[in-house]
Amino acid sequence: MAETLPQTIPVLHVCVTCRRGLPLTDDPVQGRQLYEALARHAEKDNFSIQPVDCMATCSRGCVAAVSMPEKWTLILGQLGPEKIEDLRTFLGLYRASKTGTVMPSKRPASLSDMILARLPASLSVSQELS
């Protein structure tokens, strides 16, 4: 059996149904815009991106989760298409971090309060063992 190498790039899951508090009739959907804008940069910036239909954090703006093996998984909120460049910078800092922790003082200013939660890397390992 071939050994699988751990993924060495961040995986970003973006809620494509997030509306940032806008009425259901308003288009385009902000989460979809965020996903599409980031998808254009994924290969060049060395991250993977996956759409998610709903992350159940509707009151927290556009939401995404970023993860890598043996690093914290971070749930990010208060995002929007206007923060694309800062989010791209953050993904590079996350990838370079040993644990996935990027202190607020190191993040772009617009992302200082974006971390809603962090989940230990051991959660994905324990799920694989079940």
Side-chain angles (χ1 to χ4, degrees):
M1 176 185 258
E3 183 178 333
T4 352
L5 297 173
Q7 187 162 359
T8 58
I9 63 171
V11 176
L12 185 66
H13 291 86
V14 178
C15 179
V16 295
T17 57
C18 282
R19 294 187 170 277
R20 296 175 81 184
L22 298 174
L24 293 177
T25 56
D26 282 7
D27 280 324
V29 176
Q30 296 284 308
R32 174 62 68 181
Q33 284 183 318
L34 178 66
Y35 170 80
E36 289 172 357
L38 286 166
R40 290 191 287 273
H41 299 282
E43 188 175 338
K44 178 178 64 170
D45 289 355
N46 204 24
F47 67 90
S48 172
I49 186 164
Q50 300 292 318
V52 176
D53 279 334
C54 182
M55 293 180 75
T57 53
C58 301
S59 66
R60 301 303 291 234
C62 292
V63 176
V66 61
S67 62
M68 280 181 76
E70 300 180 18
K71 292 188 182 195
W72 288 100
T73 292
L74 304 176
I75 309 299
L76 315 172
Q78 314 304 337
L79 303 175
E82 73 283 356
K83 295 182 180 180
I84 296 288
E85 295 307 316
D86 288 347
L87 190 51
R88 291 173 61 203
T89 298
F90 174 81
L91 288 169
L93 295 169
Y94 175 86
R95 182 177 48 253
S97 168
K98 182 177 178 179
T99 64
T101 299
V102 180
M103 300 306 292
S105 61
K106 302 290 184 195
R107 293 180 217 149
S110 76
L111 304 179
S112 64
D113 65 345
M114 70 167 180
I115 297 186
L116 304 179
R118 66 182 192 162
L119 308 171
S122 61
L123 285 180
S124 61
V125 172
S126 62
Q127 289 176 2
E128 290 173 8
L129 298 176
S130 327

